[in-house]
Amino acid sequence: MLEPIILGFFEEMYFVIQVFIMISIISFILNHLGKGLLSIILIIVMFYVVFILIPAISIGAFMIYTLLMAGVSTLFVDFFFITAGQPGQQQQQGEERPDVLGTDVKERQKQLQHAHHASHQAIGMLQGLLKRGR
Amino acid sequence: MNSKGNVIIFILIAFAAVLLLPPLIITVFPAAKYLFALIMVFIIWSTVRGYLGDGILTYLFTGILIYFLVIKWLTVTSSLFVFQILLGVGFGSVIMWGVGTRFR
């Protein structure tokens, strides 16, 4: 009973989307070429493509373009990349939190300074020994 | 049920409630239909005029869209209009967050 209503609704929504596609295309052509014979020819060609030649592909491409322009890609980035690496998830799995304060880097720098100092001392001692040997 | 399940259920309930709000308002207050229709006509007119400027094509496309979106399917269009407003104020992030708490 509801099937004709639902199918009719979707058919009409397809037509509405095609109208929106034509509005976008006409606006694009008029902005770039102005009002002229070439614009009219291009608009007629695009009308044929959108409504008759490949309506399904046109609707799909326009929907993807509209969703991307509306910011759906940022939602996917939020979901797959940003929230996927939150520290709360790692705490739940019993792992240690990553060090974000840089204390491990400071420790490494101190160790490097100590090693540098020790190497200088060793070089000085070697030079002293060589001088004594002469 | 754990707290993660509660979050996603509450978000879905809020989402459905907001989408059902315009039809409910129209049912309770039939005069609200004209208010929604006026808003939709204004939005369609301003959108098409923004694309095409003043001209015969603007009237043509506005007429077609008003017939289908306002006269024939006003309840659906008003729900989608509310949904668009919610997406504009960041409701999509809330949905993604709720879904993320469930599936992570």
Side-chain angles (χ1 to χ4, degrees):
Chain A
M1 185 181 170
L2 283 173
E3 197 173 342
I5 297 172
I6 293 169
L7 286 176
F9 170 74
F10 278 111
E11 280 180 8
E12 286 173 0
M13 284 303 117
Y14 285 151
F15 179 71
V16 167
I17 290 170
Q18 284 173 328
V19 169
F20 272 112
I21 294 171
M22 279 313 297
I23 290 171
S24 304
I25 289 169
I26 291 169
S27 168
F28 183 83
I29 291 171
L30 290 180
N31 278 333
H32 284 81
L33 298 177
K35 291 178 181 175
L37 184 63
L38 185 62
S39 302
I40 294 166
I41 291 169
L42 272 177
I43 288 168
I44 291 168
V45 168
M46 289 311 294
F47 182 87
Y48 174 72
V49 169
V50 169
F51 278 92
I52 297 164
L53 197 64
I54 44 169
I57 296 172
S58 306
I59 289 169
F62 183 74
M63 290 300 289
I64 290 170
Y65 173 75
T66 309
L67 288 173
L68 287 177
M69 286 298 108
V72 173
S73 57
T74 57
L75 295 180
F76 285 121
V77 169
D78 281 351
F79 181 67
F80 286 110
F81 295 104
I82 296 174
T83 56
Q86 278 185 346
Q89 184 188 359
Q90 291 173 350
Q91 277 182 333
Q92 284 173 358
Q93 292 170 354
E95 296 175 2
E96 288 184 1
R97 289 182 66 180
D99 184 16
V100 293
L101 298 173
T103 51
D104 57 337
V105 176
K106 285 176 187 171
E107 283 177 10
R108 274 185 226 154
Q109 281 178 344
K110 277 182 184 175
Q111 286 173 358
L112 280 171
Q113 282 176 353
H114 281 300
H116 196 65
H117 187 64
S119 65
H120 271 292
Q121 280 183 338
I123 290 167
M125 284 173 68
L126 280 171
Q127 284 176 345
L129 285 172
L130 286 170
K131 281 178 185 174
R132 282 179 197 171
R134 285 175 189 169
Chain B
M1 185 177 284
N2 57 13
S3 58
K4 289 180 178 179
N6 286 333
V7 169
I8 187 71
I9 285 173
F10 277 123
I11 287 173
L12 286 175
I13 289 171
F15 181 70
V18 170
L19 276 182
L20 287 174
L21 198 61
L24 188 70
I25 291 171
I26 289 171
T27 309
V28 176
F29 306 105
K33 184 169 70 175
Y34 302 108
L35 184 67
F36 276 112
L38 196 67
I39 294 169
M40 299 312 303
V41 167
F42 176 73
I43 288 170
I44 290 168
W45 165 253
S46 59
T47 304
V48 177
R49 192 165 175 268
Y51 272 104
L52 300 177
D54 291 320
I56 190 73
L57 280 175
T58 306
Y59 294 112
L60 178 70
F61 284 122
T62 305
I64 293 169
L65 292 175
I66 284 173
Y67 173 70
F68 283 111
L69 296 179
V70 178
I71 295 171
K72 265 195 127 172
W73 302 102
L74 179 64
T75 50
V76 178
T77 312
S78 55
S79 294
L80 291 175
F81 168 63
V82 173
F83 180 64
Q84 188 195 3
I85 290 174
L86 287 175
L87 281 183
V89 296
F91 196 69
S93 301
V94 179
I95 295 168
M96 281 294 158
W97 169 73
V99 174
T101 57
R102 182 65 181 166
F103 290 107
R104 270 187 278 123

